[in-house]
Amino acid sequence: MRPLTFLTIEHEDQCPPSWLGEWWEERGVTLRRVRAHVHPDGVAAEMIPADVGDADALVVLGGEAGANDDADYPWLPATRELIARSVEGGIPFLGVCLGHQLATVALGGEVRRNPAGMATGLTPVALTPAGATDPLLGGCDGLRVVQWNSDIATRLPERAVQLATAPDGTPQAVRFAPWAYGVQFHPEATPEQVDSWWVDKPSAAEARERAAAASAAIHAARDELRTAWRPFAARFVDLARDFRAGRLDAPVTTGD
């Protein structure tokens, strides 16, 4: 059986696959990375493909953009189209933070600015009853993870199932289909990566004091975070492998 390939969509240099990419590659996964943004050193942005080709899963990562900020981030419409086409076509999917929000919009939901303000720092995962028995999220209840987001899903797509709830009551993890997930948190984020967010990102102005204070805690939790979220990465590989082998439900199309 050929090795798995994951197509990853990246929106900025500060949001690479990081730990998720490391753990997937340890399990023999090839990452086909699309860097959709213009790089600070002038390297040109890469085009969002129309489909995933022969990749076994689509992973859309985080970034400074809002899910509807098409004027400032012109690759977002194509990314949403790729997500919708992939999920409805039965391609395993994982959206991380912005990727989760883009999937929410692409599949018929709604994303808005969080009236409670920006979420940042270490946050416990609070699974719903559906999340407790989910093959990807089950076992994550109470685990701490990095959260950094200003936007939230205010209305989920029709078929979506909420798997975890953030402390402010908003969706923290969602199953869009048996093969498609979104997480509002950052299982991939290293402490150094998070430091780059509160130093460099425009959104950090809103939460710089809190983010700086959280930095020491995130660095101290490095081993805890790696131990907690490596199994999550492994389970997504298993999901993609099971889907390719026909051991997951067949896709349900919208009929549009």
Side-chain angles (χ1 to χ4, degrees), residues 15-208:
C15 291
S18 299
W19 280 342
L20 284 178
E22 173 192 335
W23 297 329
W24 287 334
E25 288 178 336
E26 285 178 354
R27 291 178 63 88
V29 175
T30 297
L31 298 185
R32 187 178 301 155
R33 298 171 61 181
V34 174
R35 298 166 177 88
H37 56 289
V38 176
H39 302 259
D41 59 5
V43 175
E46 297 173 312
M47 295 290 291
I48 301 294
D51 55 53
V52 301
D54 63 354
D56 300 286
L58 172 64
V59 179
V60 180
L61 296 164
E64 184 72 15
N68 299 295
D69 289 349
D70 299 358
D72 295 325
Y73 303 89
W75 62 89
L76 294 185
T79 304
R80 293 194 300 270
E81 290 172 9
L82 176 62
I83 292 170
R85 189 175 300 115
S86 299
V87 172
E88 292 173 3
I91 302 297
F93 169 77
L94 177 64
V96 174
C97 197
L98 174 58
H100 153 70
Q101 296 164 7
L102 288 166
T104 297
V105 174
L107 299 172
E110 180 183 76
V111 169
R112 293 181 182 269
R113 185 73 61 174
N114 190 346
M118 186 172 183
T120 185
L122 290 172
T123 304
V125 172
L127 294 181
T128 65
T133 60
D134 183 79
L136 182 63
L137 269 293
C140 294
D141 197 44
L143 298 181
R144 295 197 299 173
V145 70
V146 172
Q147 196 143 348
W148 177 286
N149 60 283
S150 298
D151 292 350
I152 54 170
T154 53
R155 179 171 53 80
L156 294 177
E158 183 177 351
R159 290 180 290 161
V161 177
Q162 186 164 323
L163 302 177
T165 303
D168 61 6
T170 59
Q172 192 181 37
V174 173
R175 185 175 63 231
F176 297 109
W179 54 89
Y181 290 83
V183 294
Q184 185 60 83
F185 49 79
H186 288 275
E188 88 291 4
T190 70
E192 294 77 16
Q193 187 175 347
V194 179
D195 284 347
S196 76
W197 297 345
W198 67 262
V199 170
D200 299 330
K201 284 178 175 284
S203 61
E206 177 185 340
R208 188 160 280 123

